Amino acid sequence: MVVKLQVYKKSSPNGKITMYLARRDYIDHATHVDPIEGVVSLDPNYVQSRNVYVQIVLQFRFGREDDESMGYTFLKTLYIGNTQVYPPVTDITASEIQRNLMAKLGNFAFAFSIDFPMLASPSYSLQQGRDDMGALMGLEYELMAYVGANESDIHKRSTSRLSVRRLVECPKALYQMPPPRSSLSKTFFTCSGALCIRASLPAPVFRPGENVPVSIIIKNQTSREVKRLKVKVVQQAQVPMFSLKEVKEQTLIKTDEPITLAPGVSVERNVTLMVTAPSKTKHGEVFLQAKAKSEDPDVLAPSTIPNPNVDFADIFGIHVNYVVRVKAVFGALTGDAVLDLPFTLAIER
């Protein structure tokens, strides 16, 4: 049997340096991220006494390009994880793929291995809206191999660049967690008694496109009548490095049911919602997993699984999670009772 292996290749504009990768998607396992392993081939007559480096470039756009004005940009670029490939300064235990590539490319092909930054988040991007033209909020990674006298001596003509993605894998331990359950008892200034809500999900983890069944019990022990029951799936996004309190919420799907729940009456409801990326709006509001190709379908950003050794406030990038929100509505003056059920959205790798 012949096994066909795809290799990604990118040369610098002057053709003097070429980078090879066996893959462009790397899995974030929460405790660690798969290292980027590849091979760089070079022209020794061009490089001469200079060095060849490989570096990860992290680009975090925290606002729309269309909103930039007066020279102000919503973009932060970090050059991180630099490693010297030539002349070799460390011993690399080459993988089988790297050994095969070096054998094919000749004496001036060198293996490298470089790690993603621990503090950065996965590759996310804002959904492209119908009226969006420029770059949108999101986090992207790029691998860069270049020739220079030192690490900061970078010239476009002798630089090879390949985009890579950091994708989330849901740890198996999360699948074994108890199903989400929560309860709420709320009192109101304009009436006596309390409203009690209990809600539960059948599993702690769901995948995009799956149905999410929600079991709800409401006990109206107030002196007012409950008029509506609203249930929705909400994507919550934060940028911890800017604010730990500001949370951007976007409704993915919802139901709005009129009910007549008189004082002293209880009701049970089973609601099923499908977790999927919404159709495009005027401006994108939902975070997606970054695409390998622009024509790829929209896939909701999976829940961010933070590294347990990293302080949440130090995370550089976007943190995404999901909740099912149950809201009992009394109407004007009295107020609402809101209960959130968090769950994990995972994508199979």
Side-chain angles (χ1 to χ4, degrees):
M1 183 178 69
V2 177
V3 178
K4 186 177 180 181
L5 178 66
Q6 183 178 18
V7 175
Y8 298 93
K9 170 186 174 183
K10 187 64 178 292
S11 297
S12 60
N14 61 10
K16 302 302 183 180
I17 184 169
T18 304
M19 181 165 50
Y20 299 84
L21 295 178
R23 56 182 175 135
R24 297 172 70 177
D25 291 343
Y26 299 88
I27 306 303
D28 186 336
H29 303 276
T31 55
H32 67 283
V33 186
D34 294 343
I36 303 175
E37 297 178 336
V39 171
V40 171
S41 67
L42 56 92
D43 181 346
N45 295 323
Y46 175 78
V47 175
Q48 297 182 356
S49 62
R50 292 176 295 176
N51 303 325
V52 176
Y53 301 95
V54 169
Q55 197 171 60
I56 297 176
V57 181
L58 183 158
Q59 290 190 325
F60 175 40
R61 176 166 289 281
F62 51 94
R64 288 185 175 88
E65 187 177 14
D66 289 349
D67 295 334
E68 296 176 347
S69 63
M70 300 180 67
Y72 184 79
T73 61
F74 298 113
L75 180 67
K76 288 186 178 293
T77 302
L78 296 182
Y79 297 89
I80 47 184
N82 193 295
T83 183
Q84 183 174 316
V85 179
Y86 176 85
V89 293
T90 57
D91 292 330
I92 297 293
T93 303
S95 66
E96 182 180 357
I97 295 174
Q98 288 173 310
R99 292 194 299 270
N100 291 339
L101 280 171
M102 288 189 291
K104 182 177 180 180
L105 295 171
N107 293 332
F108 289 95
F110 301 88
F112 68 87
S113 178
I114 190 168
D115 294 321
F116 279 93
M118 186 170 63
L119 293 177
S121 65
S123 300
Y124 293 142
S125 63
L126 202 63
Q127 186 182 38
Q128 189 84 19
R130 292 192 302 268
D131 294 348
D132 291 326
M133 300 298 293
L136 300 176
M137 184 174 179
L139 190 75
E140 297 178 345
Y141 294 94
E142 193 173 46
L143 195 65
M144 182 172 68
Y146 61 96
V147 179
N150 52 58
E151 293 182 3
S152 58
D153 182 25
I154 304 174
H155 303 278
K156 186 176 181 180
R157 65 182 181 277
S158 58
T159 300
S160 168
R161 307 174 78 106
L162 261 175
S163 61
V164 294
R165 294 192 300 171
R166 177 173 173 169
L167 306 180
V168 183
E169 179 183 65
C170 182
K172 293 182 180 179
L174 288 184
Y175 288 91
Q176 300 166 0
M177 295 288 287
R181 299 175 184 275
S182 188
S183 60
L184 169 74
S185 179
K186 183 174 181 179
T187 58
F188 302 89
F189 289 112
T190 58
C191 61
S192 60
L195 182 74
C196 300
I197 303 177
R198 285 189 293 168
S200 63
L201 304 178
V205 180
F206 295 90
R207 297 182 179 86
E210 280 191 341
N211 288 330
V212 180
V214 190
S215 298
I216 305 165
I217 299 175
I218 302 177
K219 294 182 179 180
N220 185 10
Q221 298 172 338
T222 70
S223 57
R224 298 288 297 272
E225 182 180 272
V226 178
K227 297 183 177 181
R228 307 192 75 84
L229 174 63
K230 299 181 179 182
V231 185
K232 59 184 178 180
V233 176
V234 178
Q235 182 190 75
Q236 298 178 326
Q238 289 177 271
V239 181
M241 64 174 292
F242 289 158
S243 173
L244 296 176
K245 296 181 179 179
E246 186 175 349
V247 180
K248 177 182 179 294
E249 295 191 340
Q250 186 63 31
T251 299
L252 302 177
I253 188 172
K254 64 181 178 180
T255 63
D256 187 349
E257 176 187 357
I259 60 174
T260 302
L261 191 61
V265 177
S266 300
V267 67
E268 294 187 19
R269 287 287 190 273
N270 293 309
V271 178
T272 299
L273 302 173
M274 178 178 286
V275 188
T276 186
S279 57
K280 289 186 177 181
T281 56
K282 183 176 181 180
H283 290 294
E285 299 293 343
V286 175
F287 282 101
L288 308 174
Q289 177 178 270
K291 299 179 181 181
K293 301 177 182 178
S294 58
E295 63 269 21
D296 289 346
D298 290 349
V299 177
L300 281 173
S303 299
T304 308
I305 313 295
N307 187 314
N309 298 317
V310 171
D311 190 329
F312 182 78
D314 294 334
I315 294 176
F316 187 89
I318 302 160
H319 183 275
V320 175
N321 64 340
Y322 295 86
V323 298
V324 171
R325 178 164 296 165
V326 179
K327 179 187 289 188
V329 180
F330 283 94
L333 301 179
T334 302
D336 306 328
V338 180
L339 175 66
D340 281 354
L341 275 174
F343 69 93
T344 299
L345 187 71
I347 298 177
E348 285 189 351
R349 303 300 178 195

